[in-house]
Amino acid sequence: METFDVVVVGAGSAGAAVAGRLAGDGMRVLLLEAGGPDTDPDIRDPGGVFRLWGGPDDYNYLTAPQRHLGGRRLHWPRGKVLGGSSSLNGMIFVRGAAADFDGWGPGWSYAEVLPYFKRLEDFDRGADDYRGAGGPVRVISDYTPHPVNAAIVAAAVEQGIPFNPDCNGERVDGAGFCQLTIKDGHRHSTATAYLGERPTLEIRTRARARRLLLRGRRCVGVEYTRDGTPYRVGAEHQVVVSAGTLESPRLLMLSGLGDPAALRRHDIPVAEKLPEVGRNLHDHALVPVIVAARRPVPPALPGLQAMHSQLFWRSRSGLPAPDVQPLFFHIPLYDEEMTGPADAFTLMAGIVRPESRGHLALTSADPDAPLHIDPGYLQAAADRTCMRAAVELCRELARADALKEWAGGELYPGDRDVSEHIARTLVTYHHQAGTCAMGTVVDHRLRVHGVEGLRVADVSIMPTVTSGNTNAPAIMIGERCADLVREDL
Ligand SMILES: Cc1cc2nc3c(=O)[nH]c(=O)nc-3n(C[C@H](O)[C@H](O)[C@H](O)COP(=O)(O)OP(=O)(O)OC[C@H]3O[C@@H](n4cnc5c(N)ncnc54)[C@H](O)[C@@H]3O)c2cc1C
């Protein structure tokens, strides 16, 4: 059997960082990616982001009907391409609040993960106590924002929310302009950042892992298919599963690592009892407040996407970190049941410390079968309260004097009942997490409980999702995993 030192499954935000760093040290690394190369021009063009969703590089998942959303099923895009979701995402770069990392496990406090955040980035304002320069991922902040995005930030400041020039600096709270993973006007995915020329790195695209190869309690390799042909590859030292929040638990379960009763239902022999695989699924959520513009809205700026301002705010006192993160778009985000003028803009009310928890399950032992995905949106009453507060905050901003120049009148929710508007229009913030959680599925060194030679490194290991966008933390997890692998050599 062909053998490498390390086999990494998934070339996404975390997996590309793991593979790139280990190969950079001279280890023989095989990186298996289910999707194809990142050649679509819309991946490179920051303005092309929305055209990617629903396209050939998107897994296009569909959730189970959501009880608190009137039985709606939500579309979840995820990147099936080199770079994974970092090739399809909104390019917003947020580490999260320092308090997010407390409680993840030994070695993961903010003070301990800060060096990884610093080492992964090349921040355009340079390095300081909190920021890094010279790392692989370009992060930009010094650009001229769209005037509508700028006016919404001014509206927030008018409402008493302080301007924060760096949400990845000392504190996250406040309003400001998004930092973006864009380099020279192009998206800077992790494929671009980490997977350049490396002699000991072999990348196989359209190579989908279907099963982990276990010998006793040790993971010794991976079985994958490429163009319909099955292959087996060995890992002398380590297999790292970085297939994302939905596919990492699937791969574990297909390999007999999961809840015994659930595995038996699909005639999968149990290799290790890990009842929490697939549980603890949770996500951030967004609800649109759409405002008609009083005058024509200038077109998008070249080299930028439509959403590049945001704020972090606390809906109540006593929280360790902001629970509300609205995101502002200078375009209207009408869904299929909405109508309105083209000159309009959107304040997306976002909640980022959800209490609701759902689960993910196999529907069959066939790796190509759809997954049962139930994030349990708004199951917790606290999340419903928080989302209402987020929507009301966005409505207040839209009425502020600073926005008078742009705001005509509120189109959505308008005079509709706010709770009904939330149930009818809530969408994912794309930050699904938690299905191979640190503590229950992996230990604090990302090793799968009860199995040697196997780690999981991606957003699925977050016991609790960070209270911000998840790309930067995913890359940090990949960087840290590379160190953990090295330390075990
Ligand atoms: C539409 C969208 C917009 C987003 N916007 C932002 C944003 O603006 N800012 C932000 O911070 N975050 C954003 N996110 C979230 C962020 O991008 C993700 O949380 C992050 O990329 C997840 O990283 P990951 O490594 O866990 O998984 P992914 O990056 O999804 O990587 C998983 C990889 O594994 C591959 N894979 C899966 N199964 C297999 C298999 N069996 N065999 C081989 N390969 C496999 C996949 O094809 C994929 O390439 C967005 C996400 C999406 C989907």
Side-chain angles (χ1 to χ4, degrees):
M1 184 164 61
E2 185 189 24
T3 299
F4 290 79
D5 293 330
V6 177
V7 178
V8 179
V9 178
S13 299
V18 177
R21 285 296 187 190
L22 290 177
D25 287 353
M27 291 182 85
R28 292 176 304 123
V29 178
L30 175 66
L31 178 57
L32 298 172
E33 168 52 46
D38 50 349
T39 47
D40 185 332
D42 284 331
I43 293 179
R44 251 169 87 74
D45 173 12
V49 56
F50 296 124
R51 292 192 289 272
L52 296 167
W53 305 355
D57 295 331
D58 178 0
Y59 280 94
N60 265 308
Y61 296 103
L62 210 53
T63 69
Q66 293 299 287
R67 185 166 153 234
H68 293 278
L69 305 181
R72 283 190 305 125
R73 304 180 71 183
L74 268 55
H75 168 220
W76 279 8
R78 302 303 292 176
K80 186 180 187 181
V81 62
L82 216 55
S85 298
S86 81
S87 289
L88 209 86
N89 72 11
M91 290 156 278
I92 296 164
F93 186 87
V94 172
R95 292 174 179 176
D100 290 342
F101 302 91
D102 296 338
W104 275 22
W108 292 87
S109 69
Y110 188 61
E112 287 162 303
V113 299
L114 183 58
Y116 292 94
F117 277 122
K118 289 171 75 172
R119 116 176 164 191
L120 71 84
E121 72 173 352
D122 183 26
F123 186 41
D124 66 358
R125 287 186 225 155
D128 63 20
D129 286 352
Y130 292 93
R131 304 308 304 259
V137 181
R138 181 68 172 165
V139 180
I140 62 159
S141 61
D142 288 331
Y143 56 85
T144 305
H146 188 281
V148 170
N149 295 72
I152 303 175
V153 171
V157 173
E158 182 188 316
Q159 297 292 310
I161 296 171
F163 180 74
N164 184 353
D166 184 4
C167 69
N168 295 309
E170 194 174 355
R171 16 170 231 110
V172 68
D173 298 62
F177 300 101
C178 299
Q179 296 176 14
L180 303 167
T181 45
I182 293 177
K183 185 175 185 181
D184 302 329
H186 300 127
R187 171 193 295 275
H188 208 220
S189 71
T190 53
T192 335
Y194 284 95
L195 301 182
E197 191 50 40
R198 281 176 172 72
T200 59
L201 173 64
E202 172 142 2
I203 302 170
R204 292 184 191 156
T205 54
R206 303 193 203 290
R208 173 126 190 255
R210 295 170 81 84
R211 203 163 59 89
L212 300 167
L213 301 174
L214 301 172
R215 189 179 301 141
R217 304 194 82 155
R218 182 167 180 88
C219 180
V220 293
V222 178
E223 183 180 297
Y224 69 96
T225 49
R226 207 177 185 199
D227 298 326
T229 309
Y231 299 91
R232 289 175 156 220
V233 64
E236 258 170 34
H237 181 62
Q238 180 91 179
V239 171
V240 179
V241 176
S242 297
T245 295
L246 306 180
E247 295 296 335
S248 286
R250 177 189 333 237
L251 187 57
L252 264 57
M253 289 189 276
L254 290 174
S255 312
L257 309 173
D259 175 18
L263 297 180
R264 279 191 209 106
R265 263 198 296 282
H266 302 296
D267 296 324
I268 299 173
V270 179
E272 183 68 26
K273 288 182 197 164
L274 288 167
E276 296 301 317
V277 174
R279 298 205 181 134
N280 186 44
L281 175 64
H282 55 297
D283 192 13
H284 296 159
L286 293 169
V287 166
V289 170
I290 307 184
V291 180
R294 165 187 299 287
R295 61 196 182 91
V297 174
L301 303 168
L304 279 185
Q305 22 71 310
M307 56 292 191
H308 52 261
S309 55
Q310 66 190 353
L311 64 82
F312 294 87
W313 181 74
R314 297 168 195 238
S315 68
R316 58 195 162 88
S317 57
L319 291 167
D323 58 343
V324 168
Q325 184 199 355
L327 186 57
F328 309 128
F329 297 65
H330 60 72
I331 54 172
L333 295 177
Y334 300 124
D335 65 24
E336 60 286 353
E337 291 180 31
M338 296 173 172
T339 52
D343 283 308
F345 54 91
T346 309
L347 299 89
M348 271 291 198
I351 61 165
V352 290
R353 290 182 71 81
E355 288 184 11
S356 304
R357 293 292 184 272
H359 75 287
L360 170 151
L362 298 177
T363 60
S364 152
D366 175 359
D368 298 319
L371 288 166
H372 174 81
I373 301 170
D374 182 2
Y377 284 118
L378 302 188
Q379 220 165 56
D383 294 351
R384 300 197 286 276
T385 306
C386 186
M387 185 54 97
R388 274 195 300 275
V391 169
E392 293 305 341
L393 171 69
C394 289
R395 302 177 89 183
E396 270 173 45
L397 299 187
R399 290 191 291 264
D401 284 345
L403 257 175
K404 282 259 174 331
E405 185 191 348
W406 295 102
E410 184 184 296
L411 299 169
Y412 294 94
D415 53 12
R416 295 163 194 83
D417 177 82
V418 171
S419 296
E420 280 173 27
H421 174 72
I422 290 171
R424 210 200 58 66
T425 64
L426 181 145
V427 291
T428 173
Y429 212 150
H430 309 294
H431 303 151
Q432 301 93 19
T435 49
C436 298
M438 199 186 307
T440 56
V441 176
V442 298
D443 69 8
H444 67 284
R445 295 180 65 81
L446 304 180
R447 298 172 296 206
V448 174
H449 288 308
V451 185
E452 283 171 41
L454 179 62
R455 282 186 158 89
V456 179
D458 55 30
V459 171
S460 72
I461 65 97
M462 292 184 181
T464 306
V465 67
T466 49
S467 32
N469 315 61
T470 43
N471 188 42
I475 304 171
M476 178 277 288
I477 291 166
E479 286 269 0
R480 190 154 160 65
C481 178
D483 271 10
L484 295 171
V485 170
R486 280 185 202 115
E487 285 166 20
D488 283 359
L489 286 175

